[in-house]
Amino acid sequence: MEPWFARRSVGELLPGDHAWFSYADQEEHDHVIGAFLRDGLAGSDKVIYITDAGPQDLPDLRARYRLEPETYLRSGQLAILPQAETCLTRGVFDPARMTTTLREVLDRAETERFRGVRVTVDMTWAFRQESGRDGILECEARVDAAISPSTMAMAICQVDARSCTPEELTALKERHEVLVGADPYFNDGVLSITPTFHPRGLRLSGELDGARHAVFGESLRKVVDRGGEVHLDLADLRFIDLGALSMMAGAAMHLGARVVLDNPSIHLTDVVELVSSRLLPWLEIGDGEAR
């Protein structure tokens, strides 16, 4: 039986969520983790990042959100905890030490009267340790025991998918009940537009009609302006009008490359193939699955 997972965007995470996030490049990492940090700092959450990176290396805070990490470090709202002081005992990965540190942080946050606590740690480095996968699995179980009962804490455990085997990724994923991904660029209850990274593009859900051409065009430009082939995942798109198809073709002309429509319905495939063969030769029906 396939394990059950709740899928949430960053903005939908709840207290008690111990979420799993695997990324395959820096763009995807910074997009998701940057939003997680931003949401906490812009609110009243204590934000803990277990990392050896410095404040200047935190994803997107300055460039995208115009937040100065040093300001929050001085106030105590942001804490950057080095791995050596948090996760290692005599240079060896120690899951017990990490979870002891985590529990201490949660206890202090309650006395400091923060609204909530956000914790994130990238576990990729731990694969290079002697204990490797077994140590990480033990750590994840301990973190889950600390976070899941909480009414104020949430956590994202990160790993670079390029550093793990498929079997390792599956084993780690199954230690979490929540999978976290990017926030939508737009969602009004009728249409949702969410960035995807592998392949790069957008996931469209709901109905794309004339009233939503402007927001679709804005979202499409964010992807097109970075260059390269663009994929649009249409698996959950129930309706699209010809005007939106024309916008897709215009984006393809601007790219000098194809816009690939992945996972369209049978009806939508028939419409696209009929129209694109005459008017929109730059659109291509694909079969990829974006993430």
Side-chain angles (χ1 to χ4, degrees):
M1 182 177 178
E2 185 174 345
W4 178 86
F5 303 101
R7 296 182 181 272
R8 306 199 217 284
S9 68
V10 174
E12 295 172 331
L13 287 176
L14 303 170
D17 280 348
H18 171 216
W20 168 247
F21 173 54
S22 63
Y23 60 91
D25 60 35
Q26 198 65 36
E27 178 187 13
E28 182 179 18
H29 173 271
D30 288 358
H31 191 99
V32 172
I33 299 303
F36 183 69
L37 301 178
R38 182 275 317 273
D39 288 350
L41 295 176
S44 303
D45 291 351
K46 176 82 172 185
V47 179
I48 297 101
Y49 201 150
I50 300 174
T51 178
D52 285 341
Q56 69 279 4
D57 300 316
L58 296 184
D60 277 354
L61 291 183
R62 284 193 176 89
R64 180 176 296 190
Y65 303 121
R66 298 182 180 178
L67 297 177
E68 295 295 333
E70 290 82 2
T71 301
Y72 298 96
L73 286 168
R74 287 193 295 269
S75 72
Q77 188 181 356
L78 172 64
I80 299 176
L81 306 182
Q83 293 162 357
E85 299 176 9
T86 309
C87 309
L88 304 179
T89 298
R90 293 188 292 276
V92 177
F93 179 39
D94 185 348
R97 181 177 186 184
M98 179 173 167
T99 49
T100 297
T101 302
L102 178 58
R103 289 185 183 277
E104 291 172 352
V105 165
L106 296 180
D107 291 343
R108 284 199 301 271
E110 290 185 4
T111 63
E112 292 169 340
R113 300 186 182 278
F114 286 103
R115 179 192 66 178
V117 183
R118 291 170 180 251
V119 181
T120 187
V121 55
D122 193 326
M123 301 300 296
T124 306
W125 62 272
F127 281 99
R128 297 190 293 271
Q129 292 281 315
E130 185 177 345
S131 58
R133 168 178 162 175
D134 292 339
I136 295 174
L137 292 179
E138 178 187 348
C139 183
E140 293 294 354
R142 289 173 174 269
V143 171
D144 191 69
I147 296 294
S148 294
S150 177
T151 59
M152 65 180 300
M154 62 181 71
I156 296 180
C157 294
Q158 320 165 32
V159 68
D160 187 334
R162 296 165 296 185
S163 300
C164 309
T165 67
E167 292 76 16
E168 288 170 335
L169 286 174
T170 297
L172 290 170
K173 179 179 177 181
E174 290 178 352
R175 291 299 174 103
H176 302 77
E177 292 187 351
V178 177
L179 308 183
V180 68
D183 283 330
Y185 285 147
F186 175 81
N187 187 353
D188 67 351
V190 176
L191 175 68
S192 175
I193 306 173
T194 304
T196 60
F197 301 92
H198 310 288
R200 187 172 57 83
L202 300 170
R203 179 179 294 111
L204 307 179
S205 303
E207 300 179 5
L208 177 48
D209 55 19
R212 291 160 183 83
H213 281 182
V215 293
F216 172 61
E218 180 181 351
S219 299
L220 191 57
R221 279 192 296 274
K222 291 179 181 180
V223 182
V224 168
D225 288 347
R226 294 199 297 271
E229 188 173 82
V230 172
H231 285 249
L232 302 178
D233 185 350
L234 309 181
D236 297 318
L237 192 69
R238 298 186 299 272
F239 171 81
I240 184 171
D241 65 7
L242 294 182
L245 287 174
S246 296
M247 293 173 70
M248 294 175 184
M253 292 175 63
H254 176 76
L255 278 172
R258 292 188 182 278
V259 169
V260 181
L261 310 182
D262 288 326
N263 308 309
S265 66
I266 294 175
H267 173 71
L268 183 54
T269 298
D270 291 342
V271 172
V272 171
E273 288 181 341
L274 174 64
V275 176
S276 66
S277 64
R278 298 178 182 178
L279 301 176
L280 311 175
W282 303 276
L283 297 182
E284 176 182 315
I285 299 293
D287 56 3
E289 183 174 345
R291 53 167 286 188

